[in-house]
Amino acid sequence: MLLGVGMSIIIGLTGENCAGKGTVADYLVKKGFYYYSLSDVIREELASEGREITREALIAKGNSLRKNFGADVLAKRIVERLRPDRNYVIDSIRNPAEARAILATGKATLVYITAPQETRFERMKARRREGDPRSFEAFKVIDQLEISSKDEFGQQLAEVFALATKKIVNDAGFRELYDAIDSMLSEISSEFKKDRPNWDEYFMSIAQVVASRSNCIKRHVAAVIVKDKRIISTGYNGTPRGIRNCSEGGCPRCNSFAETGTKLDECICSHGEENAIVQASYHGISIKGATIYTTFSPCLICTKMIINSGIKEVVYNSDYPLGEASLKLLKEAGITVRQVKLEK
């Protein structure tokens, strides 16, 4: 069919094995998108030949179709089925010619879905599909073959990824993934413009408001601890309870305008993360398994408190000047760390 002016949105999906393309497609379907996979064309061919549909058979047949009818044959056959009054999500784009054929409609956005290799292998093990590699080493070998194949009619994922204009890193939970999809859609079309903030934006914006209560004269920082989408504690930086406020001369280090990273042993201000954790303890509230939203990435002292408190996730807005070691320590402790930049 000819794609006319009325054609709506086409989202093309590409990514490594077990990166979460299927989950993204399912979410888009719930939002009214019609689903196609380039693999559908291959499955139809195998079914017509009476052959068993396995991963190996799909790859071999796909390569054969591309060699005999052109590297873009799968995409062209799917494009012929599209109607101008619907939104579509098209999965399993694995060859650059396929990507170009879909992008040539002038209505498509190619989205690269990815996740760390270790994460993807754990997802593969969890699905327990027959024929999947059993060891991480075998998984890495297959991964590399699919990503960097030299066969122009085969799977050349690296070249496809390079054509993508949007990228979603699926390394956290469903909530974070869905928020990322919503943000991506709002960037593509005003039809999906967000009319309210997602959860990350919501809690981070609250943390920024909490920071306005800070009495520190050097930097206003705050943290909000959240569990089950409910705020259970907040904290902002400043002098301890009963001590003269920093803005009133209470902290000698801040009031001497010491350079960043110097005279830290003289600072009597408590940090926002520290106060949020201590306030929860003061009121007898467990923060085990919670998420902490903080306007700056935590310092090393706050990092140790976060780890020992049982907090499972740290979401920060801006980078703390001396925060590199802290972020490394959090990740080593198995705590999810994400940056969500939110303009004030």
Side-chain angles (χ1 to χ4, degrees), residues 53-344:
I53 298 176
T54 64
R55 178 175 173 79
E56 291 74 17
L58 285 167
I59 293 174
K61 189 63 180 178
N63 292 347
S64 174
L65 286 170
R66 296 186 191 100
K67 187 173 184 179
N68 292 327
F69 300 101
D72 58 359
V73 60
L74 303 181
K76 283 186 173 179
R77 290 189 184 181
I78 291 296
V79 167
E80 289 174 354
R81 306 178 189 185
L82 306 185
R83 292 173 45 175
D85 59 344
R86 296 178 176 180
N87 294 330
Y88 290 96
V89 54
I90 302 176
D91 194 7
S92 301
I93 302 170
R94 297 178 173 276
N95 183 281
E98 296 168 346
R100 294 188 186 99
I102 292 172
L103 291 171
T105 63
K107 305 290 184 178
T109 300
L110 184 61
V111 184
Y112 172 30
I113 313 298
T114 188
Q117 201 170 43
E118 295 82 359
T119 302
R120 293 189 289 110
F121 178 61
E122 290 303 317
R123 290 173 184 165
M124 175 174 282
K125 288 198 301 182
R127 75 185 184 184
R128 297 182 179 181
R129 184 179 297 175
E130 189 69 27
D132 281 344
R134 299 297 184 221
S135 70
F136 186 48
E137 291 305 315
F139 176 79
K140 289 194 292 184
V141 170
I142 294 175
D143 222 27
Q144 189 59 35
L145 288 174
E146 292 185 355
I147 289 173
S148 58
S149 171
K150 301 299 182 183
D151 183 358
E152 64 175 303
F153 301 109
Q155 301 190 51
Q156 297 180 321
L157 291 178
E159 292 189 37
V160 179
F161 300 162
L163 294 172
T165 56
K166 299 290 182 184
K167 178 180 178 181
I168 294 177
V169 180
N170 178 25
D171 60 352
F174 288 114
R175 186 193 76 196
E176 292 78 18
L177 176 61
Y178 296 157
D179 283 347
I181 298 170
D182 287 340
S183 294
M184 179 265 295
L185 286 175
S186 71
E187 294 169 1
I188 292 172
S189 171
S190 59
E191 178 184 348
F192 295 96
K193 202 68 179 177
K194 295 182 292 183
D195 56 2
R196 63 175 184 170
N198 61 39
W199 288 110
D200 281 342
E201 293 167 340
Y202 174 68
F203 291 123
M204 192 63 77
S205 64
I206 291 175
Q208 290 182 338
V209 172
V210 174
S212 68
R213 281 284 302 166
S214 169
N215 64 68
C216 180
I217 66 171
K218 288 184 70 70
R219 181 184 288 119
H220 291 186
V221 181
V224 172
I225 299 178
V226 175
K227 197 169 185 180
D228 299 325
K229 295 186 176 66
R230 182 171 63 91
I231 295 174
I232 57 178
S233 184
T234 66
Y236 52 84
N237 62 326
T239 51
R241 190 191 309 271
I243 304 300
R244 190 165 41 138
N245 288 336
C246 179
S247 56
E248 299 170 335
C251 178
R253 187 255 179 183
C254 291
N255 280 268
S256 68
F257 296 99
E259 292 184 12
T260 299
T262 66
K263 299 184 179 180
L264 296 177
D265 58 324
E266 297 179 11
C267 183
I268 66 170
C269 287
S270 297
H271 288 189
E273 303 94 326
E274 178 184 0
N275 275 332
I277 293 171
V278 169
Q279 283 300 307
S281 175
Y282 183 83
H283 293 287
I285 301 172
S286 172
I287 57 176
K288 182 179 180 181
T291 296
I292 186 167
Y293 287 84
T294 179
T295 54
F296 280 84
S297 58
C299 72
L300 198 55
I301 293 175
C302 288
T303 292
K304 290 183 284 186
M305 292 183 70
I306 288 169
I307 294 171
N308 288 337
S309 70
I311 287 173
K312 68 174 183 179
E313 183 179 38
V314 173
V315 185
Y316 68 95
N317 182 34
S318 301
D319 290 294
Y320 182 67
L322 304 173
E324 187 175 338
S326 299
L327 295 178
K328 183 178 179 181
L329 193 62
L330 287 167
K331 292 176 181 178
E332 183 180 344
I335 294 174
T336 301
V337 179
R338 296 186 292 114
Q339 183 174 22
V340 173
K341 288 195 173 184
L342 195 65
E343 297 297 329
K344 291 185 178 180

Side-chain angles (χ1 to χ4, degrees), residues 37-62 92 129-132:
S37 170
L38 298 194
S39 298
D40 292 340
V41 176
I42 308 175
R43 288 187 176 88
E44 291 167 4
E45 290 285 331
L46 291 175
S48 68
E49 297 172 4
R51 295 174 56 188
E52 182 182 3
I53 298 176
T54 64
R55 178 175 173 79
E56 291 74 17
L58 285 167
I59 293 174
K61 189 63 180 178
S92 301
R129 184 179 297 175
E130 189 69 27
D132 281 344

